[in-house]
């Protein structure tokens, strides 16, 4: 068996597995460890009251719903995702949260967006680019649909920096690598963006990094491990029994207050040349 990024191949998953990914996306969108990174780039965008926004690979629309619930965003936002179940959840949840009138969701492929050129002020890929089949093609589609002087935002983790503490350093390192390759088609893509953007007609307009770190207890990385450890096992990347020991040690560390996990995340703003 080889690793198959579950978000890249989401349309091959069964209903139970899809439900667990929906739970993970929704939990992550409520975790302050993570949402502060979204709030940081939204503040930097200084959106106009009539801004038209597109999120590519919107999943359950968690980020756009968060944006629409903020008092300072009064524009219109669109979300596209390749997964029908995620798009259904996005539409349902946006109506439950009374923000459905400003958000529209549709099924589509990020490699071939069904929107005219220059139709958005801001186009966002929030933890999408690490999963897609062809990152350069997705970025050029984002560049095509953003208006001149609009902003393309790419936010994602650098999963070569993902790490959990484990007493056996050698197995800990193998587990970090296995988690990254089981979960992400492009675990190192965020390092490539400064080289990639100019090749597809985008000019770097700003970038910064944030370390997401949990020490003592874990919420963000607990949910991450619980969701993606099964994919390490399923791909047969490491012996299942040792993976189970690793996971139990992480739970124990959370109980004892000795937990440690970290990953670097990067935000890029780019504009059409
Ligand atoms: C980690 S999730 C992020 C979802 C959302 N942006 C969020 O932060 O909650 C990655 C999403 O990318 C979507 N995706 C992956 N490849 C795609 C493609 N080629 N076209 C559209 N969506 C894609 C998956 O279906 C999944 O919903």
């Amino acid at each position: 068996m080889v690793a198959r990024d579950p978000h890249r191949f989401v349309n091959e998953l069964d209903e139970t597995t899809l439900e667990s990914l929906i739970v993970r996306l929704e939990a992550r969108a409520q975790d302050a460890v993570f949402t502060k990174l979204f709030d940081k780039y939204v503040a930097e965008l200084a959106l106009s009251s009539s801004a038209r926004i597109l999120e590519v690979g919107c999943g359950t629309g968690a980020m756009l719903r968060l944006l629409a619930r903020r008092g300072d965003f009064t524009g219109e936002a669109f979300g596209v995702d390749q997964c029908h179940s995620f798009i259904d959840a996005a539409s349902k949840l946006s109506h439950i949260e009374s923000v459905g009138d400003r958000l529209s969701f549709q099924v589509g492929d990020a490699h071939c967006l069904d929107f005219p050129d220059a139709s958005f002020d801001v186009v966002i890929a929030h933890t999408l680019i690490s999963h897609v089949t062809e990152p350069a093609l997705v970025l050029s589609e984002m560049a095509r649909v953003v208006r001149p002087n609009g902003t393309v935002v790419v936010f994602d983790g650098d999963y070569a920096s993902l790490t959990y503490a484990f007493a056996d350093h050698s197995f800990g390192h193998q587990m970090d690598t296995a988690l990254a390759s089981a979960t992400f088609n492009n675990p190192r893509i965020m390092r490539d963006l400064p080289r990639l953007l100019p090749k597809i007609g985008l000019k770097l307009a700003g970038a910064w990094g944030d370390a997401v770190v949990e020490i003592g207890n874990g919420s963000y990385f607990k949910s991450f491990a619980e969701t993606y450890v099964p994919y390490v096992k399923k791909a047969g990347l490491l012996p299942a029994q040792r993976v189970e020991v690793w996971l139990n040690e992480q739970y124990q560390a959370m109980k004892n207050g000795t937990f440690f996990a970290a990953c670097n995340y990067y935000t890029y703003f780019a504009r059409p040349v």
Side-chain angles (χ1 to χ4, degrees):
M1 269 261 198
V2 287
R4 279 174 86 71
D5 176 333
H7 286 287
R8 179 181 174 204
F9 296 109
V10 71
N11 288 324
E12 296 176 3
L13 303 176
D14 59 44
E15 280 307 314
T16 313
T17 313
L18 283 174
E19 194 47 49
S20 78
L21 291 180
I22 290 175
V23 169
R24 157 77 185 159
L25 291 175
E26 289 300 304
R28 189 175 76 162
Q30 282 165 28
D31 197 324
V33 172
F34 196 71
T35 53
K36 69 173 189 200
L37 305 184
F38 176 72
D39 288 338
K40 189 167 163 178
Y41 76 68
V42 170
E44 199 69 29
L45 281 169
L47 298 167
S48 77
S49 56
S50 59
R52 264 173 69 88
I53 296 178
L54 171 67
E55 187 192 356
V56 187
C58 65
T60 58
M63 293 299 131
L64 292 183
R65 284 160 29 227
L66 204 60
L67 180 68
R69 292 199 306 267
R70 285 169 63 111
D72 58 352
F73 174 69
T74 51
E76 227 189 331
F78 298 76
V80 170
D81 200 279
Q82 63 179 350
C83 175
H84 278 92
S85 301
F86 290 177
I87 288 296
D88 287 350
S91 302
K92 211 178 287 167
L93 290 166
S94 66
H95 287 288
I96 290 171
E97 293 166 9
S98 310
V99 289
D101 54 332
R102 289 151 61 210
L103 302 180
S104 309
F105 295 101
Q106 66 188 64
V107 175
D109 184 354
H111 299 86
C112 176
L113 293 171
D114 194 14
F115 294 104
D117 296 357
S119 43
F120 296 97
D121 299 298
V122 176
V123 181
I124 299 172
H126 189 94
T127 66
L128 166 76
I129 209 74
S130 58
H131 295 289
V132 298
T133 308
E134 285 188 54
L137 187 52
V138 170
L139 289 168
S140 52
E141 275 296 88
M142 293 172 74
R144 180 182 68 75
V145 300
V146 78
R147 68 163 166 76
N149 223 26
T151 308
V152 165
V153 181
V154 185
F155 168 85
D156 218 320
D158 175 50
Y159 299 103
S161 71
L162 172 71
T163 190
Y164 286 74
F166 191 63
D168 174 346
H169 290 177
S170 166
F171 189 76
H173 180 61
Q174 289 177 57
M175 196 57 206
D176 294 341
T177 308
L179 271 170
S181 52
T183 313
F184 306 99
N185 193 49
N186 317 301
R188 299 167 77 92
I189 185 68
M190 296 307 276
R191 299 176 187 203
D192 295 336
L193 289 191
R195 268 186 297 113
L196 203 51
L197 295 175
K199 288 186 189 159
I200 51 181
L202 283 169
K203 187 173 175 322
L204 185 60
W208 64 89
D210 294 277
V212 172
V213 180
E214 289 183 322
I215 300 174
N217 206 347
S219 59
Y220 177 75
F221 289 108
K222 176 174 184 273
S223 151
F224 184 94
E226 283 170 341
T227 308
Y228 298 117
V229 158
Y231 295 92
V232 171
K233 288 201 216 158
K234 196 169 159 202
L237 297 175
L238 290 170
Q241 214 178 344
R242 293 194 73 190
V243 172
E244 218 27 65
V245 169
W246 179 93
L247 186 58
N248 287 334
E249 289 285 312
Q250 301 304 330
Y251 286 132
Q252 197 54 51
M254 286 175 221
K255 224 184 246 173
N256 298 343
T258 57
F259 179 76
F260 179 102
C263 186
N264 294 332
Y265 284 81
Y266 295 93
T267 306
Y268 286 79
F269 282 9
R271 305 224 153 87
V273 177

